[in-house]
Amino acid sequence: SLGSMAYGAGNYFLVGQYLQLACVIYTLLQIPMFFVWGAYMGDVLLLFGFDEKAAEIASTYVWVSMTMDVISGIDWVLYEFLEVCGKEVYANVIACVGAAVELPLVWVALHYYDSTLLFVGLVFLAIQIVFMLINMCICVRMGWLEQYEDGIFRSLAFRNREAVREYLKTAFPLAIGSLLSYAEWEILTVFAAVLGPAEAATWAVLGYVWDVFESTTGALGSAGEVRCSYQLGQGKPQLAKLSSYKSMFMALVVSLVSTSIFYALSNVLPAFLTSDETIQDMLIVLFPLVGLGNVMMSVGMVCWSLIGAQLRYRQATVIATATSLGITVPLGAIFTVALNYDLKGLTFSVVVGYIMTAMIMTTMLLISDWEKLSETIREKVLAEEEKEDDDGDAPANSDKDCGVQDTESQTGSGALAEIDIYRKDTGGLY
């Protein structure tokens, strides 16, 4: 969102600084994890009841795993940067090519060599490094980084205190939200284990189904977030509003289509997911509720991304946390621990949580003051530009000022004309 807003305001220097901040801060935060997990991974596995051999393997593999986390994180930052700059097709193609190369190489390592987990991890790591370097070389060769080089390589982004403050202010709620989302599912897994080992295994398999749905919804949310924040940064609140509403509508349509396909295959999918007939029977019973939850989850996740595009991640995180801890988890505990009901009760609690989240966030979007939000965002970008000038980091020939002129309020006939022009320019996509 921050990069899209700066890009929309024409401040390419600031976009580059955000890219630098993301890579450096992510790497710095990963360093303590190296030492923590490297020192205690074996003890943690022993605590969970694994044997000495498993603890020894994990203690060796964790160093490779943590290195992969750093490389993949930096690579992910670059992919997000390319999406902001309109190179999302290329970013997805290179990611798919990397996955297509990765699979056969790992298969060869497992079937033709006496591979250990450490060796397989090193294969993964080598592929990640090679494709990250290829990605960087292509970006440089195509000239996609030229406008942003001053911010990325020729400045110290940490000197721009306003940008650092805004970055951390935005990142913190996102980190909390991600942590709580992961914790919620793990708590529900514990509830499923109370019902029995078969239920716990079924709930774990069901998690993969949710992940597939979330990947589709996440793509729509990311696209809507980029477009919305870009228009807000340009001072075009009506286009941001239109883009948001279209994103919500597209999410609803896609979720309905994917759920229809899911229902049509509900008697076939369990056999592909597991060979255990007991788990297959449980999945068939749960799939109707999962389909309903997918529709609600899609709308809620896209609304969460769009609220984030307004730089209101804190409010979105508070809403998601409140529905999780106040509705989903308590209902799950009641149905499983108290009433000893089957997994339908646990799935129902997730669906109810998604419904409440979607309803509250949709209402929050519908009552948003888009004009005021756009003004606030442009003021933030302008304040960061002034800070750059005071620190002397911004290059003298920077064209960052091209997007910070005063913009008249986008209301009435002016807003309609703006929308009409933009529809012609984009073919009606947003």
Side-chain angles (χ1 to χ4, degrees):
S1 293
L2 294 174
S4 297
M5 291 168 189
Y7 183 78
N11 191 344
Y12 304 127
F13 180 78
L14 184 58
V15 175
Q17 286 198 321
Y18 279 135
L19 177 60
Q20 181 191 128
L21 284 173
C23 292
V24 173
I25 292 177
Y26 177 82
T27 304
L28 290 176
L29 292 177
Q30 283 289 341
I31 291 175
M33 297 297 103
F34 265 91
F35 297 101
V36 171
W37 288 116
Y40 298 107
M41 176 57 75
D43 295 333
V44 170
L45 288 187
L46 291 174
L47 183 65
F48 278 95
F50 291 90
D51 58 25
E52 294 278 352
K53 183 63 175 179
E56 181 182 350
I57 293 173
S59 298
T60 306
Y61 176 73
V62 68
W63 299 104
V64 178
S65 178
M66 292 302 301
T67 306
M68 285 194 293
D69 283 346
V70 174
I71 298 299
S72 62
I74 295 174
D75 205 26
W76 178 79
V77 171
L78 183 57
Y79 282 131
E80 292 294 309
F81 166 78
L82 291 171
E83 290 179 5
V84 168
C85 301
K87 302 297 186 296
E88 64 280 348
V89 175
Y90 159 79
N92 282 280
V93 169
I94 193 69
C96 291
V97 171
V101 171
E102 191 175 79
L103 184 61
L105 288 180
V106 172
W107 184 85
V108 169
L110 290 173
H111 285 77
Y112 291 96
Y113 296 92
D114 187 16
S115 300
T116 62
L117 182 61
L118 178 62
F119 181 78
V120 173
L122 290 173
V123 172
F124 274 111
L125 178 60
I127 295 171
Q128 282 187 349
I129 293 174
V130 168
F131 271 90
M132 183 182 70
L133 294 176
I134 291 174
N135 194 16
M136 290 179 176
C137 290
I138 292 175
C139 291
V140 173
R141 184 68 180 84
M142 297 298 294
W144 294 338
L145 300 179
E146 288 181 1
Q147 290 179 307
Y148 316 96
E149 287 179 350
D150 291 321
I152 300 173
F153 305 113
R154 301 189 185 99
S155 71
L156 182 60
F158 282 95
R159 293 181 60 186
N160 187 348
R161 295 180 181 178
E162 187 66 27
V164 175
R165 185 186 68 82
E166 199 62 43
Y167 178 86
L168 295 177
K169 181 181 176 182
T170 304
F172 184 74
L174 285 171
I176 296 298
S178 177
L179 178 63
L180 291 175
S181 176
Y182 180 79
E184 177 197 70
W185 192 262
E186 297 307 312
I187 292 172
L188 295 178
T189 302
V190 173
F191 292 161
V194 172
L195 299 174
E199 285 78 2
T202 303
W203 190 254
V205 173
L206 200 62
Y208 290 103
V209 177
W210 284 115
D211 288 342
V212 172
F213 285 137
E214 285 181 3
S215 62
T216 304
T217 305
L220 290 169
S222 296
E225 183 178 3
V226 169
R227 296 306 307 171
C228 179
S229 56
Y230 173 78
Q231 298 299 344
L232 289 173
Q234 276 204 325
K236 298 178 179 179
Q238 292 300 325
L239 286 180
K241 181 179 179 180
L242 178 64
S243 177
S244 297
Y245 289 174
K246 284 194 173 184
S247 298
M248 293 166 61
F249 176 74
M250 290 171 63
L252 180 61
V253 172
V254 170
S255 66
L256 290 174
V257 172
S258 61
T259 299
S260 299
I261 297 174
F262 178 67
Y263 281 159
L265 300 174
S266 59
N267 290 325
V268 180
L269 284 178
F272 286 95
L273 296 173
T274 177
S275 58
D276 190 289
E277 294 184 358
T278 301
I279 297 178
Q280 290 179 13
D281 293 338
M282 290 184 182
L283 289 174
I284 292 174
V285 173
L286 296 176
F287 277 175
L289 280 174
V290 172
L292 175 61
N294 174 52
V295 177
M296 297 298 104
M297 178 187 68
S298 298
V299 177
M301 287 184 65
V302 170
C303 288
W304 188 90
S305 297
L306 295 173
I307 292 173
Q310 301 173 341
L311 279 188
R312 297 198 289 176
Y313 282 112
R314 182 180 300 175
Q315 292 89 326
T317 301
V318 169
I319 293 171
T321 303
T323 54
S324 174
L325 300 181
I327 297 176
T328 303
V329 173
L331 280 179
I334 292 172
F335 282 120
T336 55
V337 179
L339 301 178
N340 199 31
Y341 200 57
D342 59 20
L343 286 180
K344 287 186 289 184
L346 201 58
T347 308
F348 175 77
S349 66
V350 174
V351 173
V352 172
Y354 282 145
I355 291 174
M356 292 302 299
T357 302
M359 182 180 68
I360 296 172
M361 289 192 178
T362 301
T363 303
M364 188 174 177
L365 270 177
L366 294 176
I367 64 175
S368 296
D369 188 343
W370 293 92
E371 286 75 15
K372 184 177 180 180
L373 288 168
S374 181
E375 291 175 5
T376 302
I377 288 170
R378 288 178 63 80
E379 288 173 1
K380 288 180 180 291
V381 175
L382 181 59
E384 291 168 8
E385 290 176 353
E386 292 174 348
K387 183 62 177 176
E388 293 164 15
D389 295 335
D390 293 340
D391 292 339
D393 280 338
N397 61 344
S398 175
D399 58 350
K400 65 186 177 63
D401 294 330
C402 64
V404 298
Q405 294 90 349
D406 291 336
T407 305
E408 62 179 289
S409 177
Q410 306 293 335
T411 56
S413 60
L416 295 177
E418 172 194 312
I419 293 173
D420 185 58
I421 292 171
Y422 191 71
R423 279 173 174 163
K424 292 176 182 178
D425 290 341
T426 61
L429 276 177
Y430 293 100

